[in-house]
Amino acid sequence: MSEGEKTGFIAKIIGPKKRWRAYKARVKELPEDYRTAAEAVERYLMHFVPIDADSNASTFEDLVDLFEQAATNGTPIREIVGEDPVEFAEAFAQNYTEGGYAPARARKRLADDIERAAGTETATQDESL
């Protein structure tokens, strides 16, 4: 890894490029609803200040681990994020960051994206009944 990659602004936000690309490839493989939810949480987490690049890369790797496991087990999205996805994302972020602030529009977007992902999941479950 080059020195510029370690210390650049983007590297501080997403971590090393190789790990970021691997994370994005894993997200892309998730079923659509889980991918939508994971990407929504990812977008929201971008508002938080990373402790360091490796910690931030771990944040996203742990996030995709969680959604991969849930998809494999058939765990509904609402069981993962609960009724308040903002609270979930902020609690998740606290394990990896020094803090941050997400504007109201980011909170609303996260809630709307999770609702859409969970709503699709609910509609699919209702059709199978």
Side-chain angles (χ1 to χ4, degrees):
M1 176 182 333
S2 72
E3 186 62 31
E5 187 175 22
K6 282 185 184 177
T7 60
F9 175 74
I10 298 298
K12 287 181 181 176
I13 300 294
I14 64 171
K17 287 181 185 178
K18 186 175 184 178
R19 287 176 71 181
W20 178 254
R21 287 184 186 120
Y23 157 76
K24 291 302 277 185
R26 290 173 64 193
V27 169
K28 189 176 182 179
E29 294 299 316
L30 289 169
E32 184 178 357
D33 296 341
Y34 292 90
R35 183 175 58 247
T36 298
E39 288 171 342
V41 174
E42 170 195 311
R43 244 187 328 275
Y44 192 79
L45 291 174
M46 293 291 189
H47 292 280
F48 294 85
V49 178
I51 294 171
D52 60 50
D54 283 333
S55 292
N56 218 33
S58 294
T59 301
F60 295 113
E61 291 164 347
D62 290 351
L63 178 68
V64 76
D65 285 345
L66 176 66
F67 279 95
E68 284 173 338
Q69 198 169 41
T72 299
N73 295 336
T75 304
I77 291 169
R78 284 291 180 191
E79 275 190 40
I80 303 165
V81 301
E83 290 304 311
D84 187 350
V86 171
E87 183 180 313
F88 165 81
E90 290 182 356
F92 189 87
Q94 285 178 353
N95 293 313
Y96 305 94
T97 68
E98 295 175 347
Y101 171 76
R105 71 180 179 280
R107 291 185 191 110
K108 180 172 180 2
R109 183 174 183 185
L110 174 60
D112 291 349
D113 288 348
I114 295 297
E115 183 63 35
R116 186 171 49 256
T120 303
E121 174 181 89
T122 303
T124 303
Q125 289 173 353
D126 289 345
E127 289 171 9
S128 66
L129 294 178

